[in-house]
Amino acid sequence: MRIDRKAHLIFVLIVGLVFVAGCWDRREMDEIALVMASGVDITDDGQLELSVQIALPTAIPGTLQTGGTDKKPVQVISVKGRAGLEVFALLQQQLSRQLFLGHRAVIVFGEKFAKAGIDQALDVLIRMPDSRYNSYVLTSYGTTAKELLNAPYRMEVIPAIGMKNIEAAKYSVAVKVDEFISDLSTVGKMPVTGAARLFEDAAGDKTFQIDKAAVYRGNKLAGFLSGKYLKGYKLMSGQAKGMKIAVQVEPVREKTKGIVTVEILRAKTKVLTHWEKDTPRVTVSFEATSRALANESSLDLSKANHVRRLETELTDKLRETISDMIAKTQREYRSDILGFGREFHIQHAKEWKKLKGQWDELYPEIPVAVAAEMKIERIGRIQAPGPLSKEEVQ
């Protein structure tokens, strides 16, 4: 009896190993085309143009290889068609290997395509089985997605990796596919992406730079934020840490520019919504602590009254930057990118039922009050600028 039981156990183990052993659905590296980035544009006759940046492993220098290679490390292929998945199928017909999206780092919407509406591309984003939700979403500015994917990038062998690293480090606005789709499907919050453009580097070669934010209203591109408006958005969207703020504390003089620069160490934002006399209102508060980085003024920051003066100037500038950004999204883009509607839903669920269907139309006229406060936590060794003598320091 004991022998039969032992034999039965061995038989069950052998049968189990037969079914779990091996990789029945494996795909070898020499059978797939690794898509590192993809882009979608719209042609003049209304067709979709899908472009993919494919890594060429044989052209990428190995760790033991010395010297360069004449082969390009990537290949960009483009196909035009009527619908997203149809274009993807036409693209596959051009390749001897199966397209694999598991390593796709970036998805780029062409500016013209985004202005027309991105619905046609959503299937390619979310329905392909090997597509990942952790890819970053970008919008092109002043160019097409195809041209961006064809632009080289000197610091990385594969340009898409350069885009990914810039986004992952949050040097610009960084939004992933899952975040973009969540905002797109949420009432009371509009999506935003980073925006990339082409420019000439010091050597005169074309490359890309991600230095703007693309604002969407529903499924269509409404416009771009740059300069102080981009800074205001980053302050309010949890990306303030490490940001450098320069403020003019006094007029330009012979030896000084009158500017003090600080770096934000910590920041906290709070959004309060109000329902007063059947009218929605919003109050925004922003608080931050910072350290002084550069003092190009005559102020001696070891003196408490000079630090308070600097804090006042910084506070006023922060309030103005945030207010101007909100005003631009309300008046010009009519897009609630900060999610005030979502906050209203959370804080006033009963009243939200009345506003939900008309929030997009109400948002441009909703009063928004902005409060800000900046504290200097560290002044380091830059109490007074080097070019001044003791007599010239205040």
Side-chain angles (χ1 to χ4, degrees):
M1 179 67 69
R2 185 176 298 174
I3 295 176
D4 291 343
R5 184 179 299 173
K6 192 172 183 179
H8 178 72
L9 179 60
I10 293 173
F11 175 77
V12 171
L13 289 174
I14 292 174
V15 172
L17 289 172
V18 169
F19 283 102
V20 301
C23 299
W24 59 272
D25 62 344
R26 73 182 186 278
R27 285 182 283 181
E28 302 294 344
M29 285 295 295
D30 59 356
E31 297 175 350
I32 60 177
L34 293 175
V35 176
M36 305 306 296
S38 63
V40 187
D41 293 301
I42 190 169
T43 62
D44 293 336
D45 57 356
Q47 293 190 84
L48 290 183
E49 184 172 26
L50 178 63
S51 303
V52 292
Q53 186 182 102
I54 299 173
L56 303 177
T58 57
I60 299 175
T63 55
L64 299 179
Q65 182 176 337
T66 58
T69 175
D70 294 333
K71 296 182 179 179
K72 290 186 177 180
V74 296
Q75 180 180 6
V76 177
I77 301 175
S78 302
V79 171
K80 300 175 184 179
R82 295 175 300 175
L85 294 180
E86 177 191 40
V87 178
F88 195 86
L90 293 173
L91 192 64
Q92 181 62 73
Q93 292 176 7
Q94 294 190 14
L95 301 172
S96 60
R97 300 184 180 187
Q98 184 177 357
L99 288 165
F100 180 69
L101 302 174
H103 291 281
R104 180 170 57 178
V106 178
I107 298 167
V108 183
F109 294 142
E111 180 179 355
K112 184 178 177 181
F113 167 74
K115 287 181 177 179
I118 62 169
D119 286 347
Q120 297 181 74
L122 291 181
D123 277 347
V124 182
L125 288 182
I126 63 179
R127 292 188 183 276
M128 302 301 293
D130 53 358
S131 185
R132 301 290 187 263
Y133 281 5
N134 60 354
S135 302
Y136 290 99
V137 183
L138 291 173
T139 305
S140 71
Y141 171 78
T143 186
T144 64
K146 179 180 178 180
E147 290 173 330
L148 274 178
L149 296 187
N150 275 287
Y153 189 69
R154 290 181 179 274
M155 297 193 69
E156 302 290 345
V157 176
I158 299 176
I161 300 301
M163 292 183 183
K164 175 187 176 182
N165 291 344
I166 293 172
E167 292 288 271
K170 296 185 177 179
Y171 297 133
S172 183
V173 175
V175 177
K176 294 185 177 181
V177 170
D178 57 347
E179 298 168 324
F180 180 81
I181 294 176
S182 175
D183 290 346
L184 189 62
S185 59
T186 300
V187 179
K189 176 69 168 71
M190 294 294 181
V192 175
T193 75
R197 63 184 176 90
L198 294 177
F199 80 106
E200 287 190 1
D201 60 17
D205 298 326
K206 275 194 174 183
T207 186
F208 57 82
Q209 185 172 8
I210 306 173
D211 59 354
K212 298 179 185 294
V215 176
Y216 284 76
R217 189 172 194 270
N219 70 326
K220 295 182 179 181
L221 175 64
F224 297 93
L225 297 178
S226 60
K228 70 173 183 178
Y229 302 110
L230 176 60
K231 187 169 289 187
Y233 173 74
K234 294 184 71 174
L235 288 170
M236 286 299 299
S237 59
Q239 302 179 58
K241 184 178 180 180
M243 185 181 294
K244 313 300 188 295
I245 306 290
V247 62
Q248 191 84 36
V249 294
E250 61 185 16
V252 178
R253 298 179 180 178
E254 182 180 353
K255 295 182 180 180
T256 63
K257 297 179 181 179
I259 297 173
V260 178
T261 304
V262 302
E263 178 185 28
I264 295 179
L265 300 174
R266 294 179 299 276
K268 180 174 65 175
T269 61
K270 189 175 183 180
V271 176
L272 291 177
T273 58
H274 314 277
W275 182 253
E276 301 174 359
K277 299 180 181 179
D278 293 335
T279 302
R281 305 175 66 89
V282 176
T283 299
V284 171
S285 62
F286 178 85
E287 299 176 3
T289 57
S290 62
R291 66 184 179 115
L293 285 183
N295 183 7
E296 300 176 90
S297 72
S298 63
L299 297 182
D300 183 352
L301 297 183
S302 64
K303 298 179 180 179
N305 61 321
H306 289 178
V307 173
R308 286 194 296 270
R309 176 180 169 182
L310 176 58
E311 289 176 340
T312 300
E313 295 285 350
L314 286 167
T315 295
D316 291 343
K317 181 164 186 177
L318 287 176
R319 185 188 305 112
E320 178 186 358
T321 300
I322 294 172
S323 298
D324 289 349
M325 181 272 299
I326 293 174
K328 189 176 184 69
T329 64
Q330 283 190 298
R331 307 292 183 264
E332 186 174 345
Y333 298 149
R334 304 172 63 85
S335 176
D336 183 9
I337 59 175
L338 296 178
F340 292 153
R342 184 171 58 188
E343 292 299 324
F344 202 96
H345 184 194
I346 295 171
Q347 298 173 20
H348 302 275
K350 183 178 179 181
E351 287 77 9
W352 177 250
K353 294 179 181 179
K354 306 175 184 177
L355 300 177
K356 182 178 179 181
Q358 51 184 336
W359 180 258
D360 293 345
E361 285 68 37
L362 288 174
Y363 171 70
E365 305 301 327
I366 290 176
V368 180
V370 178
E373 183 179 22
M374 173 72 88
K375 292 294 183 182
I376 307 295
E377 190 175 84
R378 308 176 198 165
I379 57 173
R381 299 181 179 180
I382 60 165
Q383 292 91 340
L388 299 183
S389 64
K390 291 182 179 180
E391 293 74 18
E392 294 174 303
V393 177
Q394 294 187 30

